């Protein structure tokens, strides 16, 4: 049975109207106005059209024949009743969903969720083959791949989407990188329906409360990897234009060359851009300051042009020296991590998080009392409100504290990543590898035509000579 509130979503109803327009129907008989339309505008519009065609509509329940009535008032009145009934039903459904969210009841669309299937306990169960695809997407993204390159890599391997399609798209890859379910959490009410007539579903940007259930099921991605992916997404999306050739204020992330992200001018701080030059019939790559390219010496005076091959050799030499003394570096990094962990706000944040867990348990205990019939819900309303108010206050305080140590957390994440790379790469680089360079290096600053300053992740700085 079709119960849509809009005529355009009722194919059989529209088919009947088309038959009426072709004069193949002389009279429409319907049980009631609510069966004909649950939208006052649609009801009046189609009744008028059919009446102009000489086709009457008989509403049995209301005892109305549109061909004999002299006023549309009763149609409007009963149509409004039908619409009000739909709105009432919609509010009841919304209220029921809201209660389910508060109680932590989760409904997951497994047909659109790669990596999981419905388990025996009604919780997501990992599908091993699909989980490998999810891990690959996160790995490629953190290795510096763009959404387009990840899409092409998945298609080249013949990997299927959750819907069984061989063609991927960038928005699907991005949604996987942003989906909290892969870290074991579930965020409820990400979207909501604006009203029961248009049934337009929009993203929840704070208009409705959202509910996060942490550690709901077994994760595919560890929390550190998920957080680093979120930080990288934010970094790429926050890029601003650095060239007059960019039409919008929004810059674009480039995954083609690692140095497009890392190499900056020591004079003005602007990134360098790769260019191809030709000399004596031979083509070769050089890197030049973008400000110098766009504006000449007016904005950046004296920034050198750096030839790519000697620059790569200098960076490789510095990286190999860096990898060659990784035991000492690991000690320095571990000491830095200890400093970060001893942040003055660390203990307070831990205490607040523990209090949130206690409040969550208290709420669950109240819900258990209600569901068991031991206590009426209305008698516990004040307790629920008290818990909600305290949670809100704690979350606001947590947000402020976490902002104050955000730099420390980012540094720790970079240190952890660098340490992992150091422990895994038990070799010296013979060729310039963009992926490894991105993992190890924070920034390369061009000091002069023959000197660059290389800043490794973990704040270790090395001066390197460019030998032509």
């Amino acid at each position: 049975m079709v119960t849509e509130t809009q005529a355009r979503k009722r194919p059989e109803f529209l088919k009947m109207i088309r038959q009426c327009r072709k004069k193949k129907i002389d009279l429409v008989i319907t049980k009631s106005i609510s069966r004909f339309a649950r939208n006052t505008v649609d009801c009046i519009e189609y009744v008028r059209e059919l009446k102009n065609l000489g086709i009457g509509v008989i509403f049995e329940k209301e005892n109305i024949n549109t061909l004999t009535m002299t006023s549309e008032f009763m149609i409007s009145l009963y149509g409004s009743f039908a619409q009000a009934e739909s709105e009432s039903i919609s509010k009841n459904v919304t209220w029921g969903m809201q209660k389910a969210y508060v109680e932590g009841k989760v409904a997951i669309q497994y047909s659109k969720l790669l990596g999981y299937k419905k388990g025996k306990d009604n919780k997501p169960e990992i599908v091993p083959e699909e989980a490998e695809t999810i891990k690959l997407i996160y790995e490629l993204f953190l290795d510096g791949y763009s959404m387009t390159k990840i899409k092409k890599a998945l298609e080249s391997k013949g990997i299927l989407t959750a819907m069984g399609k061989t063609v991927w798209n960038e928005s699907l890859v991005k949604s996987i990188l942003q989906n909290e379910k892969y870290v074991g959490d579930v965020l409820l009410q990400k979207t909501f329906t604006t009203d029961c007539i248009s049934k337009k579903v929009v993203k929840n940007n704070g208009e409705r409360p959202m509910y996060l259930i942490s550690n709901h099921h077994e994760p595919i991605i560890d929390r550190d990897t998920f957080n680093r992916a979120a930080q990288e997404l934010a970094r790429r999306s926050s890029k601003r234009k650095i060239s007059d050739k960019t039409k919008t204020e929004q810059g674009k992330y480039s995954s083609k060359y690692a140095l497009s992200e890392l190499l900056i001018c020591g004079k003005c701080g602007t990134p360098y851009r790769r260019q191809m030059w030709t000399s004596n019939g031979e083509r070769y790559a050089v890197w030049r300051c973008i400000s110098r390219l766009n504006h000449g010496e007016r904005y950046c005076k004296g920034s050198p042009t750096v030839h790519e091959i000697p620059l790569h050799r200098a960076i490789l030499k510095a990286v190999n020296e860096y990898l060659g003394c990784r035991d000492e570096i690991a000690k320095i990094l571990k000491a830095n991590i200890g400093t970060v962990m001893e942040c003055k706000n660390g203990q307070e944040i831990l205490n607040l998080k523990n209090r949130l867990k206690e409040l969550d348990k208290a709420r669950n205990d109240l819900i258990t009392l209600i569901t068991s019939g031991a206590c009426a819900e209305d008698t516990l309303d004040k307790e629920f409100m008290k818990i909600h108010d305290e949670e809100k206050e704690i979350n606001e305080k947590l947000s402020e504290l976490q902002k104050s140590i955000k730099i420390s957390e980012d540094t720790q994440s970079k240190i952890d990543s660098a340490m992992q790379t150091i422990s895994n790469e038990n070799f010296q680089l013979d060729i310039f590898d963009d992926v490894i360079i991105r993992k190890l290096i924070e920034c390369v600053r061009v000091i002069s035509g023959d000197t660059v300053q290389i800043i490794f992740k973990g704040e270790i700085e090395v001066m390197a000579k460019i030998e032509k």
Side-chain angles (χ1 to χ4, degrees):
M1 181 177 69
V2 178
T3 59
E4 290 287 350
T5 54
Q6 290 182 294
R8 63 185 177 83
K9 295 184 180 180
R10 300 168 63 193
E12 292 302 317
F13 177 84
L14 294 176
K15 181 180 178 182
M16 179 192 74
I17 296 298
R18 287 195 298 270
Q19 295 296 317
C20 290
R21 289 167 182 163
K22 293 177 182 179
K23 301 292 185 179
K24 292 185 178 181
I25 295 176
D26 298 320
L27 184 66
V28 176
I29 302 174
T30 181
K31 182 178 179 181
S32 66
I33 288 177
S34 64
R35 295 292 181 181
F36 186 78
R38 293 200 171 188
N39 179 330
T40 306
V41 174
D42 283 346
C43 182
I44 296 297
E45 180 182 330
Y46 285 108
V47 164
R48 284 177 181 172
E49 181 179 354
L50 295 178
K51 190 174 181 180
N52 291 335
L53 292 169
I55 300 170
V57 182
I58 295 176
F59 301 102
E60 293 182 336
K61 182 179 177 181
E62 291 82 7
N63 193 24
I64 295 174
N65 184 338
T66 60
L67 286 180
T68 60
M69 72 177 187
T70 58
S71 170
E72 291 180 348
F73 174 72
M74 292 304 295
I75 294 287
S76 300
L77 185 62
Y78 285 117
S80 298
F81 289 160
Q83 181 172 325
E85 181 184 353
S86 295
E87 291 171 349
S88 176
I89 292 170
S90 176
K91 286 180 181 178
N92 289 339
V93 170
T94 302
W95 180 86
M97 292 174 65
Q98 200 77 28
K99 291 289 288 183
Y101 293 149
V102 173
E103 293 170 8
K105 294 179 181 178
V106 178
I108 296 174
Q109 288 185 310
Y110 291 97
S111 62
K112 297 181 179 180
L113 184 64
L114 189 70
Y116 287 107
K117 64 180 181 180
K118 189 174 183 179
K120 295 179 181 178
D121 57 354
N122 290 327
K123 285 189 175 183
E125 180 182 319
I126 292 177
V127 180
E129 300 82 6
E130 295 180 1
E132 290 303 314
T133 300
I134 301 300
K135 291 176 182 177
L136 176 62
I137 290 172
Y138 276 81
E139 181 182 347
L140 292 176
F141 180 71
L142 291 174
D143 281 349
Y145 279 57
S146 65
M147 303 297 176
T148 302
K149 287 183 73 173
I150 294 174
K151 160 188 151 53
K152 290 178 179 177
L154 295 172
E155 290 175 349
S156 67
K157 293 176 182 288
I159 296 173
L160 301 179
T161 67
M163 306 293 286
K165 296 180 180 179
T166 56
V167 178
W168 289 71
N169 58 61
E170 289 83 353
S171 60
L172 178 56
V173 173
K174 187 176 181 180
S175 69
I176 288 174
L177 292 168
Q178 293 176 316
N179 196 331
E180 79 289 341
K181 293 181 183 66
Y182 294 120
V183 79
D185 299 342
V186 179
L187 184 61
L188 303 174
Q189 199 160 243
K190 294 186 203 176
T191 60
F192 65 94
T193 305
T194 53
D195 59 79
C196 69
I197 303 301
S198 68
K199 293 191 175 177
K200 183 180 179 181
V201 177
V202 297
K203 184 179 179 181
N204 185 359
N205 292 314
E207 296 87 350
R208 303 281 192 279
M210 287 190 280
Y211 305 87
L212 177 65
I213 304 174
S214 299
N215 304 316
H216 174 265
H217 54 269
E218 184 181 357
I220 292 175
I221 301 298
D222 64 87
R223 201 166 292 276
D224 176 65
T225 300
F226 184 80
N227 290 339
R228 285 193 291 119
Q231 290 172 0
E232 179 63 10
L233 275 169
R235 187 189 72 81
R236 293 187 190 183
S237 63
S238 66
K239 287 178 68 64
R240 289 290 175 260
K241 75 171 184 177
I242 51 176
S243 170
D244 290 346
K245 295 181 180 180
T246 305
K247 293 182 179 179
T248 67
E249 288 300 315
Q250 186 67 44
K252 186 177 180 182
Y253 170 75
S254 173
S255 64
K256 193 171 184 180
Y257 305 104
L259 291 180
S260 297
E261 293 287 301
L262 304 177
L263 192 64
I264 65 170
C265 178
K267 305 289 183 183
C268 67
T270 304
Y272 266 57
R273 178 192 292 149
R274 189 177 191 265
Q275 289 193 313
M276 295 301 298
W277 280 8
T278 303
S279 178
N280 298 324
E282 182 182 350
R283 283 174 60 81
Y284 55 92
V286 298
W287 290 82
R288 302 191 69 196
C289 170
I290 292 176
S291 284
R292 179 79 177 272
L293 279 172
N294 289 346
H295 307 291
E297 294 188 359
R298 185 173 39 159
Y299 287 103
C300 185
K301 189 173 182 179
S303 62
T305 297
V306 183
H307 289 249
E308 185 174 80
I309 292 175
L311 174 62
H312 280 187
R313 283 200 299 262
I315 293 173
L316 279 176
K317 184 178 179 181
V319 167
N320 286 330
E321 290 175 0
Y322 179 77
L323 292 173
C325 55
R326 65 178 146 275
D327 290 338
E328 286 127 20
I329 292 170
K331 290 177 183 177
I332 295 170
L333 295 180
K334 285 177 182 177
N336 286 342
I337 291 173
T339 303
V340 170
M341 294 303 289
E342 290 170 4
C343 173
K344 62 180 180 180
N345 294 326
Q347 187 59 48
E348 188 175 358
I349 288 175
L350 182 62
N351 292 339
L352 290 174
K353 287 183 176 180
N354 288 336
R355 180 54 184 162
L356 282 177
K357 289 179 182 178
E358 292 173 1
L359 291 173
D360 189 51
K361 183 179 182 302
R363 181 190 289 103
N364 290 335
D365 291 342
L366 292 176
I367 292 170
T368 303
L369 282 174
I370 294 169
T371 53
S372 65
C375 189
E377 183 177 351
D378 55 357
T379 62
L380 296 177
D381 279 346
K382 289 184 179 179
E383 293 298 321
F384 276 114
M385 186 57 68
K386 185 178 178 182
I387 291 173
H388 176 268
D389 290 342
E390 188 175 351
E391 279 182 332
K392 184 179 179 182
E393 185 180 343
I394 290 175
N395 282 323
E396 288 174 355
K397 196 167 184 179
L398 266 176
S399 178
E400 291 301 317
L401 288 171
Q402 286 168 343
K403 281 180 184 177
S404 68
I405 65 165
K406 188 176 188 303
I407 296 175
S408 297
E409 288 179 344
D410 289 346
T411 303
Q412 183 190 344
S413 177
K414 291 171 184 175
I415 290 170
D416 290 342
S417 177
M419 283 188 66
Q420 186 177 1
T421 303
I422 289 170
S423 61
N424 291 338
E425 309 298 346
N426 296 316
F427 57 87
Q428 287 205 330
L429 293 180
D430 296 321
I431 59 173
F432 192 88
D433 188 306
D434 285 320
V435 172
I436 294 176
I437 294 301
R438 277 195 183 96
K439 286 183 176 180
L440 290 175
I441 295 177
E442 184 77 36
C443 170
V444 178
R445 185 176 289 112
V446 179
I447 304 301
S448 65
D450 61 357
T451 306
V452 291
Q453 181 187 36
I454 301 171
I455 303 172
F456 289 91
K457 291 184 177 178
E459 309 302 325
I460 296 174
E461 300 180 7
V462 175
M463 301 298 289
K465 286 287 183 182
I466 301 175
E467 299 174 357
K468 298 182 181 178

